[in-house]
Amino acid sequence: MTTYEQDAKTLELPWPFTGREEELALVRRSLAAGRPGIVVTGPAGCGKSRLVTEAVRGTDCVRAAGTPETRGIPFAAFAHLLPEQVTLHRAVRLLSGVRLLLVDDAHLLDDASAALVHQLAVHGRTRLLVVARDAAPVPGAVSRLWTGELLPRLALEPLPARETEELLALGAGGPLEPLTAHRLRRLGQGDLRLLRDLLGAVRDGGLFTPVPGTDERAWRGPVPVTATVRDRVGPALDRTAPAERETLDRLAFAEPLPLPLDSLGLGILERLEHDGLVHVDDHGAVRLAHPLLGPVLRATAGKLRARRLAGAPGRCDAALAAERTVLLRRVEQADVRPPATPVGEWLVAEGVPVPAGYAAVRARCARLRGRLREAAAWAREGLQATPGDASCRTELHLATAQSGVPAPDGQEGESGAAAVWAAAARGDLGRALAAVDADSAYEAVRLGAPEGAAGRLHGVFAEHADALARGDGPALDRAAGRLEERGFLLFAAEAHAQAVRAHRDPRAARTARTRAVALARRCQGARTPALSGLALGGLTARQRQIVTLAAAGLSNRQIAEQLTLSVRTVGNHLYSAYARLGAGDRAALPWLVELPDAQPA
């Protein structure tokens, strides 16, 4: 009964429409007068129906939909629009007067309904909005809508990570820490319906815990196996034979480690691979194919079976150490593109403490990639296991300082990069530059003083320093491109931002600004001196004027009096500007508007 109540609640309170602005605009343009319409396809649960519903909101739209149960009944999808006995010719005539027809789940249409939709497209009097699922058998009359070029086709991809995180924050009632958001995205596999069910189960089960010192919430522990989760993977499991189920159970209790191919029956594996239940990599390691299979199999195993299959404590230690070694090697090679690290992520998700040394390396790699909130989350994981760990404490200070948040008194960090960014976060660039040492020479480049790094850097970092010292905009853009290729997204954003000021060609400056803004948006709220003022290019002239005054410390009333506006108008402009800038309140504006004045050391 609880499941049905939860489902009813979900239907009453659907998630708000988030992201997909470009796709929404494309669909709406396709439905304008004189246009034939459009076909929208995509994987299950990616938001196709929600997109088209938003596109036709406020219009005079007639709806029809296919269902699995009625695929053998002629014209079943249009039964509410047609008389009981009707021919295809008459059905076309009757529906030709409809100005806009939305056909959802067109892959489930009966043959007669599919032929009707095709004929309406051929006649061209009715604008058609047709929705079909990828990787599902589609009636030939429907597929010929786009293969025969009767209608354009929009192939919808899963919602991007950033928009998914915004959706999760709305559904959870507040922001989620990055490791939790990543876990939910991985479990959902792009299916927003499944994601909504998982989020609801975690939220309603009281499994979220506040993250100290932030407004974020985290989730650790086993996956709640809801009815929707079981329905997603249960039918495939129900078709397995006892020997196949035994193999699946062994894989489930081996997680996060795979099992070697030669330890399992080859014939059984071939059948499971054919059914899409297991994945075999190029090294002969076997894993479950879907991240929900393990939780469902472990939840349904009896106590005795679980005790027999459970691994020994410490079985992940060697694999965790190997992941740490790979990450350190990447940092040494100046390439921080993320490798696969399933063991550490699984342990943290399940609430198993990870060594502080591993957590500090994960935090460092995330910070170098510009994933500052993720870096802080990994540092906190290490500090939970070892509260006094110096490496995790330093990584936490660096991540928060580069987000523009000064450290509390007495927690600035002892030396090196931590001291540099502790001073920079307070706006004291003079002291920040004075704290630069041989080990933190690149921080001087990021702060706009490349002369402090002369002869101390190598590779792409030296290229960045040299280009900045010469004021060479094109060379800064090239260095930014190389930094981005190696995963240093925040450094690349800063190099592009520095190129904006160095370019003599206004067009090149605009291009550099666009690239810098796009990269900075992927860096989880980074606010560094190089990025200051960058986001203002996305505001209207009036918004820039008001934001600049607000950053200078003027109240809404003072701004209104100076610009001869109402206080309410000023507030509305600031609210819109906050949304575009990614700022929560006025405290963030000085970082986004202008470079803090350097102060003497």
Side-chain angles (χ1 to χ4, degrees), residues 9 30 36 43 56 89 97 104 108 127 131 169 182 187-188 251 281 283-284 296 315 354 425 427 468 489 511 545 578:
K9 185 193 307 180
S30 301
V56 301
H89 177 72
D104 203 355
L108 298 176
R127 290 193 295 279
V131 181
H182 173 73
L187 291 170
L251 288 166
D281 66 21
H283 304 288
V296 170
R315 62 192 176 90
V354 295
L468 183 60
L489 299 189
T511 300
Q545 189 179 30
Y578 291 156

Side-chain angles (χ1 to χ4, degrees), residues 196-220:
R196 181 172 60 185
D197 182 78
L198 285 167
L199 179 66
V202 174
R203 180 194 59 218
D204 298 342
L207 303 181
F208 282 128
T209 57
V211 178
T214 74
D215 59 350
E216 299 173 346
R217 281 176 280 183
W219 165 46
R220 302 289 186 267

Side-chain angles (χ1 to χ4, degrees), residues 292-418:
L292 287 176
L293 280 170
V296 170
L297 288 164
R298 289 191 294 271
T300 54
K303 290 184 179 180
L304 293 178
R305 177 184 286 265
R307 186 178 301 172
R308 174 171 64 86
L309 296 175
R315 62 192 176 90
C316 296
D317 292 351
L320 201 65
E323 287 185 359
R324 182 176 183 271
T325 299
V326 169
L327 292 168
L328 287 172
R329 187 181 304 122
R330 288 288 187 95
V331 173
E332 292 172 359
Q333 296 170 346
D335 185 349
V336 294
R337 288 171 292 185
T341 49
V343 176
E345 292 172 6
W346 191 91
L347 293 175
V348 167
E350 293 290 319
V352 179
V354 295
Y358 177 87
V361 173
R362 291 302 301 264
R364 183 182 181 189
C365 290
R367 174 177 56 82
L368 292 174
R369 289 197 294 270
R371 307 284 296 177
L372 299 183
R373 290 176 50 235
E374 182 181 325
W378 276 108
R380 292 189 188 96
E381 288 295 325
L383 291 172
Q384 283 187 5
T386 311
D389 184 77
S391 297
C392 288
R393 188 173 64 243
T394 297
E395 289 298 335
L396 183 58
H397 290 161
L398 283 168
T400 54
Q402 291 178 45
S403 300
V405 181
D409 292 340
Q411 299 182 26
E412 294 86 354
E414 295 79 8
S415 60

